[in-house]
Structures are given as structure tokens and as C-alpha cells.
Amino acid sequence: MAETNDFLRMEGISKSFPGVQALQEVNFEVTRGEIHALVGENGAGKSTLMKVLTGALHLDEGRIILRGEPVEIHSPSDSQELGISMIHQELSLIPYLTVGKNVYLGREPRRRIPGFIDWKKLYSQTQELLGQINLDVRAWAEAQDLSIAQQQMVEVAKALSIEADLIAMDEPTSSLTDRETEVLFDVMRKLKDQGVAIIFITHRLEEVFEVSDRITVLRDGRHIATAPTAELNHNQVVQLMVGRELDNMYPYSETKERGVALQADDLADGQELHGVSLELQGGQILGVAGLVGAGRTALAETLFGLRQATAGEIHIDGQVVKLHSAKQAIEHGLGFVPEDRKLQGLFLNMAVRENITMSSTSLVSNFGFVNTNKANKLADEYVDKLDIRTPSLRQRIRNLSGGNQQKVIIARWLTLKPRVLILDEPTRGVDVGAKAEIHGLMRQLAEDGVAVLMISSELPEIIGVSDRILVMHEGRVTGRFERDEASQDMIMHAATGGDNNAS
Ligand SMILES: Nc1ncnc2c1ncn2[C@@H]1O[C@H](COP(=O)(O)OP(=O)(O)OP(=O)(O)O)[C@@H](O)[C@H]1O
Ligand SMILES: [Mg+2]
């Protein structure tokens, strides 16, 4: 292979953290004008490799060769000067700044008079970038008023504003809808045609096959394979990622119905929810499908007492309950794994152990004092059950990979042994192996009699996991299906407002 053609080569990259060898002698190369997918399980080292490339982390060993020259990258501004830009896995916009200020933060266009920022230029250039990516947002809107998906697209605009010829995108699509993802792919293809090299990290293998030219697989911090996408199929990639054959993604077993555990009649919140009724049996998984903005999260939050119901009733085990807080919901046997784990669920500076056990203080305390042995035992049990990859129970959550953070928050709710468990996009950002584990776990919970309500935007997951399916559109139920009668087409039809079986 003509080595001189290589635009970027990372050679023998090693990086360790206390207790974790995150990267071990990894070789990785990218050429101009290609979209190179970087895949691997949660914790495989993908983000770490990109952070080394963009100067957010320092490598322990190895070297980086860019355009044929060894380069030293000590900080993100070093990498920007070398024409590298990065979209981070964690959204990094500053909430109270405008979109334009966020996009050009630290690189504001200047007027000819030294020291003065050219605001007009800043906003007009931003608006133009937003237009390029089809984002209907004003450059002077505050970042905090944007949806997560819009913020993600602003991150894309920011990466474009640097006019880099190498762009690393760390899970840019994880919170995008299909339509936004397609827009992003169009942008990526355009950049590629201009000779830009793109490194694309995602857990959705369909996306890898749709858009990438080559694939590199990492596993446990090591380089496993690099090959043209056309030479690999889905199963081969999965096998390279997990190092074994994966059994059934959607373990299904018919469960006994055990009476209605959760019932909602004509529930409304005066805003996003307009008369939603549902029934969920113990021992069953109800999948809630719909497009972004359909009111699914509003439904979950109302059921859990985080939003006030303005009309309708909620029954738990046949009794009408009025929930005004999460605390009351928990007392009634409800659990809720929220969609945005960073904002609502995890205490990033606290250890894995505390994050798992904090809700169940009664289980791990004696007379009000936390008993470390009990806490360790409980945390250990769930680290084991969910296969959470962490060097120790004392590791801070901040240092776990994204997917493992998600497992910790699920573990916390499981320790409470809820009667009804609501999960909002439980496998977002989770790798294929862990996804199958979480599905298996949900099925196990159902077998133990728990009523599970799962919101998901992935139709294969909805169809594969659920006993029954409810589809929402603009705050109303537009479809109800039994497991065997639902197809992706039927669900999409209902999700876009077409009415069927909605009675
Ligand atoms: N700052 C840190 N301190 C300690 N350990 C870390 C730190 N950053 C990452 N790690 C560890 O390094 C390993 C690789 O993590 P990394 O974030 O690169 O994984 P990833 O492939 O991006 O996973 P995901 O798909 O979940 O995002 C993990 O075991 C993680 O816990
Ligand atoms: Mg990552």
C-alpha cells in the first residue's frame, strides 16, 4: 500500500488511565476523501483515540504523522491549527451563549480595528453554515433554547466553521432523527468529495454500511481490523467487535400476564400530551414508538410525577394515584431511567458504587449509616449482572465510557426493584453486545413480574423487544399493536399521523 498517500497515520498509540489500559499500540490510518468508520464496544477506546488525535489527551507512547510529517499535538488549538476538528461525544455548547458565539468561540472574526469582533460577520457566517446543514435555527438564538438534536447539528456547524480537512465525529448521530441523520450524511459526502477525511464513530452499524468507505474495529484498546466496508458484512463486524458470536439480539419469551400494573386514562399535561390512555400488565413490555416530539418523554415524565397531569388519571395496581414528585412515584413502585443520563441521572464526580446504590439507601444502611460492605456487595452484584466495565467500584462515573454510564443508571433503578419500570431510550449510545444484555435484562425483569415501559426510536428494537406497542404522534396515541401484528411500515404510518387501530 502506498504509504505516502496516507494523510493521517497514528502509529503504536498507547494510553492508560489508572487501572485501565485504554489504548494499546493502536495503528490507525486515514486517507483524504474517505469516510472512515471507527467502531467497537463501549469502552473499546474510540473516544480516547480521537481525544489523543485532537489534543484533549496526551498519548503515553506512539506517534502521529500528518501529511507525511510527525506532529506533536498538545492541545485542541494545536490540532485546529493542523486542520483537525472534532465533534465530541458529549455536547459542549455553552447554554447561555448564542449559537453564533458558540460556533466561533475563541475564533471570532475580527474587524480591521484591532481587538474588535466583527459581529455582523460572525452571525452572517454562522447563518450560512446553518443553512448548509439545513438547520432551521437562528444564529442569535441561545444554545439552551435548542433541542438536543439541534445542539448536535450546531456542533456539526462548528466543526465545519474550522474548515478542517480532517473531521472526527464521535457519535454525532446518537440523538438525531433519521431525517437529520440523512442531512448529516449528505454533508459528510459533500465534504468527502472536497477531499476532507472524516472519522465517523457510531454504534449503529446500518449507518456504518450506509456511509463509510472503510471500517476500523477496536476491541479492548487494541486495533483488531481495518477493511473496506464493501468487504465486510454486518455479522462480521459484530463478531470483530465483540470477539465472539452474538446470540439473539432480542431474546423473547412469552410471559404470563399478571394483572394491570399501570393504567393511564386520558392523561394530559396541558402542553404536549393530549388524552393518552394505556394499560400495562405486570410481566409485559410495552414499547412506545414515535418520532422526536411525539410526546413520549412527556408521557414518561407525567407517569413518573415529574410533570403535573392536568387531566386524566393514573392507576397503579388498580388504585388511583396522584403523583407530585419522583419521590412519590418511587414510593408507589415506579422507576424511571431518563433519556438524558448526563442531565438527569448521573453524578459524574461520584463513584460507580455511589451511583448504583444511592437510591436504595435503605438496602445498604444500618440505622441511617451507609454500610460499605453492603453497598459494595449490592454494587458488585449489579456490575456483574449488567457487565459494567470499570476497573473498580471506586472509579468516578466521569471516567467510564458512555455506554457503561448508561448501564450504571439502569443498575441504580434495578436496585430499587420497581413494580413498574419506565425506560426512555435505554440503549442509546450502547454497543451491540451491551444492547443485547440490556434487552435480556428487560425480558428477565418482565419474567420476574415487572411491568416495563420502553420508549425507543429504533423500530427494530421496538418490534424485537415489546409484547405490545403503542405509537404516538403529536401527543396522542395513533397506533396500538400486538407483538405479532406490527411491522415497521405500520408503526411509521402511525408515527407520522396516520391513524390505525388507535381506538
Ligand atoms: N479520563 C479517564 N480516566 C480514566 N479512565 C478513562 C478516562 N477516559 C476513558 N477511560 C477509560 O478508557 C477506556 C476507553 O474509553 P473510551 O471512552 O475511549 O471508550 P469508547 O470506545 O469511546 O466507548 P463508548 O462507545 O462507550 O463511548 C474505558 O475503559 C474508559 O473507562
Ligand atoms: Mg466514546
Side-chain angles (χ1 to χ4, degrees):
M1 137 164 271
E3 255 184 317
T4 46
N5 270 346
D6 290 346
F7 171 51
L8 166 74
R9 271 193 290 144
M10 300 180 79
E11 294 181 346
I13 307 289
S14 295
K15 172 75 194 171
S16 62
F17 300 106
V20 185
Q21 180 86 41
L23 295 172
Q24 202 166 345
E25 294 174 31
V26 169
N27 295 322
F28 179 59
E29 47 121 277
V30 180
T31 57
R32 276 182 199 279
E34 78 163 331
I35 299 176
H36 197 125
L38 182 59
V39 301
E41 289 184 284
N42 294 130
K46 305 177 296 293
S47 296
T48 304
L49 189 65
M50 290 304 100
K51 286 179 186 163
V52 164
L53 174 64
T54 55
L57 287 173
H58 293 259
L59 47 78
D60 298 340
E61 273 169 71
R63 57 178 196 157
I64 302 174
I65 297 168
L66 189 66
R67 304 180 191 92
E69 305 275 336
V71 290
E72 302 266 335
I73 303 174
H74 295 293
S75 71
S77 63
D78 282 357
S79 72
Q80 282 182 16
E81 270 165 36
L82 290 164
I84 304 173
S85 89
M86 165 125 183
I87 301 175
H88 284 276
Q89 187 170 6
E90 321 303 346
L91 293 175
S92 61
L93 300 184
I94 299 176
Y96 50 85
L97 290 187
T98 64
V99 169
K101 285 183 184 171
N102 267 293
V103 166
Y104 284 100
L105 193 65
R107 299 175 295 111
E108 294 84 358
R110 300 279 156 176
R111 288 182 22 200
R112 248 178 271 143
I113 316 156
F116 285 89
I117 292 173
D118 189 342
W119 293 111
K120 220 174 127 199
K121 196 165 167 192
L122 182 144
Y123 284 111
S124 67
Q125 283 181 0
T126 303
Q127 203 64 59
E128 201 187 308
L129 284 168
L130 299 177
Q132 275 174 34
I133 56 172
N134 265 353
L135 184 60
D136 187 17
V137 158
R138 287 171 193 250
W140 50 88
E142 282 186 14
Q144 58 196 355
D145 296 331
L146 271 50
S147 70
I148 303 266
Q150 288 172 330
Q151 291 186 33
Q152 184 70 63
M153 290 303 271
V154 171
E155 297 275 359
V156 173
K158 189 170 174 178
L160 296 182
S161 74
I162 293 170
E163 297 186 22
D165 50 7
L166 173 61
I167 305 182
M169 304 184 170
D170 197 350
E171 296 195 39
T173 57
S174 64
S175 56
L176 299 185
T177 62
D178 288 350
R179 200 170 306 156
E180 290 154 334
T181 300
E182 280 311 317
V183 172
L184 178 61
F185 285 177
D186 283 343
V187 172
M188 287 163 70
R189 292 187 187 108
K190 240 184 252 164
L191 290 167
K192 167 185 146 165
D193 290 342
Q194 294 163 13
V196 174
I198 296 173
I199 302 167
F200 176 49
I201 299 179
T202 179
H203 284 294
R204 299 182 182 152
L205 292 184
E206 315 87 70
E207 296 180 351
V208 168
F209 284 98
E210 181 178 344
V211 81
S212 74
D213 302 296
R214 284 199 293 169
I215 303 177
T216 287
V217 181
L218 298 183
R219 189 198 317 145
D220 294 333
R222 288 169 216 257
H223 176 267
I224 299 296
T226 296
T229 307
E231 288 174 16
L232 290 170
N233 66 34
H234 186 279
N235 283 344
Q236 287 168 322
V237 175
V238 170
Q239 206 175 335
L240 289 167
M241 281 169 58
V242 302
R244 63 192 146 90
E245 293 251 22
L246 210 59
D247 25 286
N248 194 357
M249 269 306 278
Y250 304 112
Y252 183 74
S253 55
E254 192 103 16
T255 50
K256 282 190 268 15
E257 300 191 2
R258 307 175 198 220
V260 177
L262 176 70
Q263 183 185 334
D265 299 329
D266 267 327
L267 209 56
D269 70 347
Q271 287 178 310
E272 290 173 52
L273 216 54
H274 312 288
V276 170
S277 300
L278 61 85
E279 236 185 56
L280 176 54
Q281 305 256 351
Q284 282 210 324
I285 300 176
L286 176 68
V288 179
L291 302 176
V292 171
R296 295 170 303 166
T297 296
L299 172 64
E301 291 179 354
T302 309
L303 289 172
F304 195 64
L306 294 174
R307 278 175 191 243
Q308 218 46 62
T310 52
E313 279 182 347
I314 299 170
H315 307 246
I316 294 172
D317 288 329
Q319 278 189 329
V320 178
V321 293
K322 292 253 179 273
L323 302 175
H324 301 284
S325 68
K327 186 164 171 284
Q328 287 177 346
I330 292 168
E331 284 164 3
H332 281 96
L334 293 177
F336 179 41
V337 177
E339 177 179 17
D340 189 338
R341 55 188 181 247
K342 287 291 157 52
L343 278 183
Q344 300 168 29
L346 288 171
F347 296 82
L348 292 174
N349 284 322
M350 289 171 61
V352 171
R353 182 179 63 207
E354 279 67 39
N355 267 286
I356 292 179
T357 59
M358 62 172 39
S359 300
S360 45
T361 33
S362 59
L363 293 177
V364 297
S365 308
N366 292 334
F367 313 109
F369 293 97
V370 173
N371 176 324
T372 316
N373 278 341
K374 279 190 186 172
N376 278 337
K377 219 172 136 216
L378 187 70
D380 249 337
E381 181 189 331
Y382 283 90
V383 163
D384 209 44
K385 252 193 193 157
L386 275 74
D387 194 18
I388 296 168
R389 311 272 170 92
T390 174
S392 90
L393 294 178
R394 290 194 308 273
Q395 178 75 304
R396 285 181 184 200
I397 286 291
R398 179 182 294 292
N399 296 334
L400 295 197
S401 78
N404 283 299
Q405 293 180 359
Q406 180 75 346
K407 289 200 239 172
V408 167
I409 191 163
I410 294 179
R412 180 191 310 156
W413 286 105
L414 294 186
T415 62
L416 284 176
K417 304 219 177 340
R419 171 97 177 87
V420 177
L421 183 61
I422 300 168
L423 305 115
D424 196 352
E425 305 281 2
T427 62
R428 171 171 293 166
V430 167
D431 70 49
V432 277
K435 214 170 193 170
E437 281 162 22
I438 290 175
H439 293 153
L441 203 84
M442 284 164 55
R443 187 42 63 192
Q444 184 62 50
L445 287 171
E447 276 168 14
D448 294 344
V450 177
V452 180
L453 188 152
M454 174 192 71
I455 295 172
S456 169
S457 295
E458 279 186 51
L459 292 184
E461 177 170 61
I462 286 275
I463 290 175
V465 171
S466 316
D467 294 293
R468 288 155 85 198
I469 297 163
L470 188 129
V471 187
M472 290 180 68
H473 173 72
E474 292 183 349
R476 296 188 166 82
V477 177
T478 49
R480 296 179 197 272
F481 303 95
E482 293 295 322
R483 177 182 177 80
D484 301 324
E485 60 180 35
S487 68
Q488 298 211 17
D489 284 346
M490 290 158 82
I491 295 176
M492 272 319 285
H493 180 69
T496 48
D499 221 292
N500 42 21
N501 307 329
S503 50

